[in-house]
Amino acid sequence: KNEVEQSPQNLTAQEGEFITINCSYSVGISALHWLQQHPGGGIVSLFMLSSGKKKHGRLIATINIQEKHSSLHITASHPRDSAVYICAAPFNSGYSTLTFGKGTMLLVSP
Amino acid sequence: DTEVTQTPKHLVMGMTNKKSLKCEQHMGHRAMYWYKQKAKKPPELMFVYSYEKLSINESVPSRFSPECPNSSLLNLHLHALQPEDSALYLCASSQDYYEGYSSREKLFFGSGTQLSVL
């Protein structure tokens, strides 16, 4: 079964803390997406990565294709980072669509 | 312009009403998507348009009718909806859409239309 599992489901942190969100998937994929959604809002694509590591500002995403695992790190977290973070992977054979994880709700307190 | 614009942002409608959701992008993307998202749940794919043709319909009830008048515009026509259809409706686009290949396309999402059906 094609699945995307995220952990933790909920995460609270103090401003300035280093944050890690994990994502594992069940079968081999060519690329994995990390997305951010603020409450009641649309979704922003943060990263799409197929190997190694990508960095954008305070956000870092890594992927280990052999272990079928990806992590999203936030350095020096800030209250404005509070959002739901979703990882998603393209599984559907013959279709270019995404299977989404259930998301990690992050709350960063001042 | 790297935006996907959705209108309206909020919509309240009765079960006998007919309404439409609109989505627009000017990035030259040839693939456009409709997703439905219930509270605290991940998005669920409804439709995919590729080159203005419907490529995927994920067994969506006929009370939802998509339309792609041109490559920049995607509509979702709503008729005789049920209260359980209340959700956030998200539009997305990508440069292209491939059948038979795992997606390497980055998706650009709109901010969504929050729909309430009374």
Side-chain angles (χ1 to χ4, degrees), chain A residues 6-19:
Chain A
Q6 279 187 245
S7 63
Q9 192 173 342
N10 294 285
L11 183 57
T12 57
Q14 288 294 119
E15 183 173 357
E17 285 185 8
F18 180 83
I19 287 161

Side-chain angles (χ1 to χ4, degrees), chain A residues 16-63:
Chain A
E17 285 185 8
F18 180 83
I19 287 161
T20 296
I21 299 170
N22 295 302
C23 177
S24 60
Y25 48 92
S26 54
V27 297
I29 57 172
S30 60
L32 184 123
H33 300 248
W34 280 102
L35 310 165
Q36 178 195 56
Q37 186 173 31
H38 282 99
I43 293 175
V44 175
S45 180
L46 298 175
F47 296 103
M48 183 182 67
L49 67 166
S50 53
S51 65
K53 176 170 135 177
K54 284 191 176 180
K55 185 175 189 292
H56 182 70
R58 295 179 293 106
L59 301 177
I60 303 167
T62 63
I63 190 168

Side-chain angles (χ1 to χ4, degrees), chain B residues 6-118:
Chain B
Q6 285 188 247
T7 55
K9 293 198 183 306
H10 302 274
L11 179 62
V12 179
M13 62 185 290
M15 289 190 283
T16 58
N17 291 158
K18 284 185 182 181
K19 296 285 184 184
S20 296
L21 308 185
K22 181 179 170 181
C23 174
E24 201 163 358
Q25 57 86 14
H26 296 287
M27 294 178 278
H29 288 176
R30 303 318 298 261
M32 296 185 79
Y33 310 75
W34 280 115
Y35 285 88
K36 174 183 176 180
Q37 187 179 26
K38 301 284 270 184
K40 299 186 188 294
K41 297 286 187 185
E44 299 172 5
L45 182 67
M46 300 175 72
F47 302 104
V48 180
Y49 272 83
S50 176
Y51 289 84
E52 299 160 47
K53 287 187 170 44
L54 185 63
S55 294
I56 293 180
N57 176 341
E58 291 285 357
S59 303
V60 179
S62 59
R63 58 186 184 268
F64 295 91
S65 174
E67 179 198 19
C68 190
N70 59 59
S71 59
S72 299
L73 193 54
L74 184 67
N75 298 320
L76 186 63
H77 302 298
L78 315 173
H79 174 53
L81 293 194
Q82 304 296 311
E84 60 264 30
D85 296 322
S86 298
L88 180 68
Y89 288 84
L90 291 160
C91 174
S93 70
S94 64
Q95 182 65 42
D96 215 323
Y97 167 82
Y98 301 101
E99 288 189 12
Y101 296 88
S102 293
S103 173
R104 286 183 172 271
E105 295 296 329
K106 186 174 180 180
L107 283 179
F108 292 78
F109 284 87
S111 56
T113 294
Q114 188 66 54
L115 174 67
S116 297
V117 182
L118 304 179

Side-chain angles (χ1 to χ4, degrees), chain A residues 81-103:
Chain A
D81 297 326
S82 298
V84 176
Y85 292 84
I86 305 168
C87 71
F91 285 133
N92 298 13
S93 170
Y95 296 108
S96 182
T97 60
L98 297 177
T99 296
F100 293 87
K102 291 184 179 178

